[in-house]
Amino acid sequence: MPAAPPPAPPFTATRDRPVVTLREVAERAGVSMITVSRAIHTPQQVSERTRVRVQEAVSAMGYVPNLVAGGLRSARSHVVTALVPTLTGPLFGEMVQALTDALELRGFQVMVGQVGYAHSREDELLRAIVGRRPDGIVVTGIMHSPEGRRLLAASGIPIVETWDFTDTPIDMLVGLRHEALGAAVCEHLHARGRRRLALLSGGDERAARRAQGFAAAAQRLGLRAPTVRLGKSPTTHADGREGLAALLADTPDIDAVFCSSDMLALGVLTEARVRGIAVPQQLAVMGFGDIDFAQTVSPSLSTVRIDGTRMGQTAAQWIADRADGKAVAAPVVDIGFSVIEREST
């Protein structure tokens, strides 16, 4: 039996040599290219030991077989994939619409996939998407599994992470700092005389970081720790009603509630009205997202606006430029946020 090949050095994908090839996987596994192909596509044709060796190389390098006919590196699909947590709510719709409109002008089509908030399906979707070699992938957030990061980094496909911020993006990033947003909301409420704060939030990681920023600012301002109620994401109007009822049962004297979505805030406004609680005289309510109804509901909803149009247009410009072989001069952009004050605070 032939000796096992020596251990391969750690693999690191770079933008200068981004695409992991079948040959590189074969070299790492110490087998031929045809053996790698068989181990991936017809594993019954190779030994268990060989299959495991190939699979370890595939996993370590983030290799995904090219499912595009012919597998040509120069092939252009003219398709960009956008992955969002949910398709049921309007929060991400503005970004997706702007992305779609801007890319259509450059000859691309957008395919949208839903990954959920727990990312339980993200790796599976990424593997299927990378294998079809779109001209770009736009993902929501930065909190990917190690396997997901390897797949994206090794794909050679332009990647844009959105709606979040990190100093170590996979490729390109246009987003915002959620901890700073939470702190800004706390400061806004404090400046308007609110001292007994509460937080009603979904359980996704971006909402959690907003909650951390909100609580840290409250401590810095000398306020008591906010009363917190966490739930599932995406959040609903019913969650808002139930959430305010639970907050009041726990801490009846709260005078402000920061909600992780405008839909939650709408539920809070409804429950407050049913209970005869005057907004904002007795209870200030702040949302997140600046959804269409925020301005027209009564009382109009104070909220935080994220410029989804700019986010989508920026991602589209970067992907189209990279597809044309152009460099992106500043591939990381913090678009910030705007605290919108209306009648509810």
Side-chain angles (χ1 to χ4, degrees), residues 178-179 199 201-214 230 260:
H178 289 269
E179 295 90 345
L199 179 77
S201 177
D204 63 278
E205 68 268 5
R206 287 175 295 282
R209 288 201 291 282
R210 292 195 294 274
Q212 291 168 5
F214 187 79
L230 301 178
S260 67

Side-chain angles (χ1 to χ4, degrees), residues 78-246:
H78 296 281
V79 171
V80 172
T81 300
L83 298 180
V84 295
T86 178
L87 298 174
T88 60
L91 183 60
F92 303 102
E94 181 184 346
M95 182 199 75
V96 172
Q97 188 63 59
L99 178 76
T100 301
D101 292 344
L103 283 172
E104 282 184 350
L105 294 175
R106 300 284 291 266
F108 297 86
Q109 298 297 317
V110 174
M111 297 180 65
V112 181
Q114 176 177 290
V115 297
Y117 281 94
H119 297 300
S120 57
R121 298 178 59 241
E122 187 179 64
D123 288 354
E124 179 182 349
L125 274 174
L126 286 176
R127 187 168 291 279
I129 290 165
V130 169
R132 286 160 176 80
R133 295 297 190 264
D135 285 332
I137 301 175
V138 178
V139 294
T140 301
I142 59 172
M143 305 298 287
H144 314 293
S145 72
E147 176 72 9
R149 288 187 65 88
R150 283 196 296 269
L151 288 173
L152 292 171
S155 69
I157 298 169
I159 309 297
V160 183
E161 294 168 287
T162 63
W163 280 96
D164 215 330
F165 206 86
T166 178
D167 294 327
T168 57
I170 293 172
D171 185 5
M172 299 174 284
L173 182 149
V174 52
L176 63 141
R177 301 177 189 272
H178 289 269
E179 295 90 345
L181 188 157
V185 170
C186 182
E187 291 162 2
H188 170 85
L189 294 172
H190 179 267
R192 279 138 193 84
R194 308 296 169 163
R195 298 294 183 266
R196 301 179 300 279
L197 309 183
L199 179 77
L200 187 58
S201 177
D204 63 278
E205 68 268 5
R206 287 175 295 282
R209 288 201 291 282
R210 292 195 294 274
Q212 291 168 5
F214 187 79
Q219 182 179 28
R220 187 172 64 251
L221 292 168
L223 303 178
R224 75 185 189 191
T227 303
V228 177
R229 179 174 173 82
L230 301 178
K232 65 182 186 305
S233 295
T235 52
T236 67
H237 178 269
D239 293 333
R241 293 199 62 177
E242 294 169 4
L244 179 59

Side-chain angles (χ1 to χ4, degrees), residues 1 4 6 14 36 42 67 74 87 90 123 127 151 173 180 182 197 230 237 278-279 288 294 304-305 322 342:
M1 182 175 296
T14 69
V36 172
T42 55
L67 302 180
S74 59
L87 298 174
D123 288 354
R127 187 168 291 279
L151 288 173
L173 182 149
L197 309 183
L230 301 178
H237 178 269
V279 175
F288 170 80
V304 182
R305 168 152 179 77
R322 287 275 292 275
R342 297 193 179 105

